[in-house]
Each structure stands twice: as C-alpha cells, then as structure tokens.
C-alpha cells in the first residue's frame, strides 16, 4: 500500500480489468466513479449502514461526486482505493477518495462525494441517526462535523 493512504480508514484493493479500458488505451474516466462507489459501499458496510437501510428504508443517496485525474491507469494493474469521511452534518456526509496504482507507484486520482441521508419511503432527506454518526466517528477519528 502507498503512504498517501495512511489517513484513510477504509482501503480496498481492486484489479484493473481489461473491459475498463477505452479505445485510447487507458481506463475510461467513468470507471473511476465505480472505484469510488466500491470504496463508499465498503465504508458504509464497515459502519453498519446497510443494516439500517433494511430496518427503516433510510440510507445514503449520492448527491454529487467529482474526480481529479492525476495519472492514467492501464491494464494490467492493481489499485488501492481509500475512502474517508471529511464532513458530517445533520443530513449529509462528505467523503474523499484516493486511487493509488501499484504499477505506477503513485496517486492516479482523487475524488469527492456528497452523500445525503435519505428516507426512501418519503422521498426526502432525513437526519443521520446519532448511533450511525457515532459509529462513523469511532471508525474514522479524523472525520469532522460541520453545519449544513
């Protein structure tokens, strides 16, 4: 693993697969959002969020996401994707993502996501439960709370 991932409490290892390549010979830009999603879901699983969704039909919904490309990825490679919480407010999570290439030995991309805690039955945002907030802060001690 790379030193850049040291502050990321959640890090997953993924292969770069052939089907992710585009006609220009590198991983297509849209695939990076799948890498972020894989890390985001793994993070949520670690803090027990899927169980909460089953119990009460409330959970995360992606509000926005962005990516900064630092170096092109190519097949074959193995990447490490980190996720960390950088902001918790009453209704939202703000996450940072980092993609590191083993082959290149460097950061290939950084990203952010704004995730809203959502009531799927009422189709509206809803406050993040305090128990979930505490699990996130215990798992990710560098996470910060912020105002809406």
């Amino acid at each position: 693993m790379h030193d850049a991932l040291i502050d990321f409490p959640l890090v997953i290892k993924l292969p770069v697969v052939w089907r992710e390549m585009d006609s220009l010979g590198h991983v297509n830009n849209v695939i990076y959002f799948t890498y972020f999603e894989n890390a985001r879901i793994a993070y949520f699983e670690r803090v027990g969020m899927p169980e909460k969704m089953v119990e009460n039909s409330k959970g995360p919904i992606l509000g926005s996401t962005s990516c900064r490309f630092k170096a092109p990825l190519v097949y074959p490679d193995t990447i490490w994707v980190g996720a960390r919480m950088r902001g918790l407010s009453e209704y939202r999570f703000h996450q940072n993502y980092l993609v590191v290439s083993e082959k290149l030995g460097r950061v290939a991309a950084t990203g952010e996501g704004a995730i809203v805690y959502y009531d799927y039955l009422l189709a509206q945002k809803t406050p993040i439960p305090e128990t979930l907030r505490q699990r996130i802060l215990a798992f990710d001690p560098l996470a910060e709370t912020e105002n809406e």
Side-chain angles (χ1 to χ4, degrees):
M1 217 169 23
H2 194 274
D3 289 345
L5 292 162
I6 195 139
D7 289 333
F8 286 78
L10 186 285
V11 179
I12 59 173
K13 183 178 179 180
L14 299 171
V16 172
V17 297
W18 178 256
R19 69 175 161 74
E20 296 171 341
M21 303 281 285
D22 65 17
S23 62
L24 298 175
H26 58 76
V27 171
N28 188 280
N29 60 338
V30 73
I31 300 300
Y32 290 77
F33 295 101
T34 302
Y35 298 155
F36 298 164
E37 179 183 50
N38 286 330
R40 181 171 50 253
I41 297 305
Y43 186 106
F44 290 159
E45 287 172 345
R46 286 290 298 271
V47 299
M49 200 177 302
E51 292 85 17
K52 283 291 186 198
M53 287 186 70
V54 171
E55 288 173 19
N56 59 21
S57 298
K58 295 176 184 171
I61 191 168
L62 187 61
S64 66
T65 189
S66 64
C67 182
R68 289 188 177 260
F69 305 100
K70 305 288 187 178
L73 294 172
V74 298
Y75 172 85
D77 197 353
T78 299
I79 58 171
W80 297 90
V81 185
R84 65 183 174 191
M85 205 64 76
R86 278 296 161 254
L88 283 163
S89 63
E90 184 177 1
Y91 299 97
R92 288 177 179 43
F93 310 95
H94 288 96
Q95 277 190 325
N96 292 133
Y97 310 107
L98 191 71
V99 177
V100 175
S101 162
E102 274 190 12
K103 181 188 269 186
L104 300 174
R106 63 178 284 208
V107 173
T110 62
E112 296 180 2
I115 301 106
V116 177
Y117 202 70
Y118 194 74
D119 185 320
Y120 285 89
L121 294 177
L122 298 177
Q124 64 186 26
K125 68 182 181 180
T126 191
I128 300 166
E130 187 59 29
T131 56
L132 178 57
R133 182 183 304 279
Q134 292 308 314
R135 286 197 308 261
I136 290 169
L137 292 171
F139 175 64
D140 195 346
L142 298 177
E144 301 170 358
T145 57
E146 58 187 30
N147 295 325
E148 279 298 311

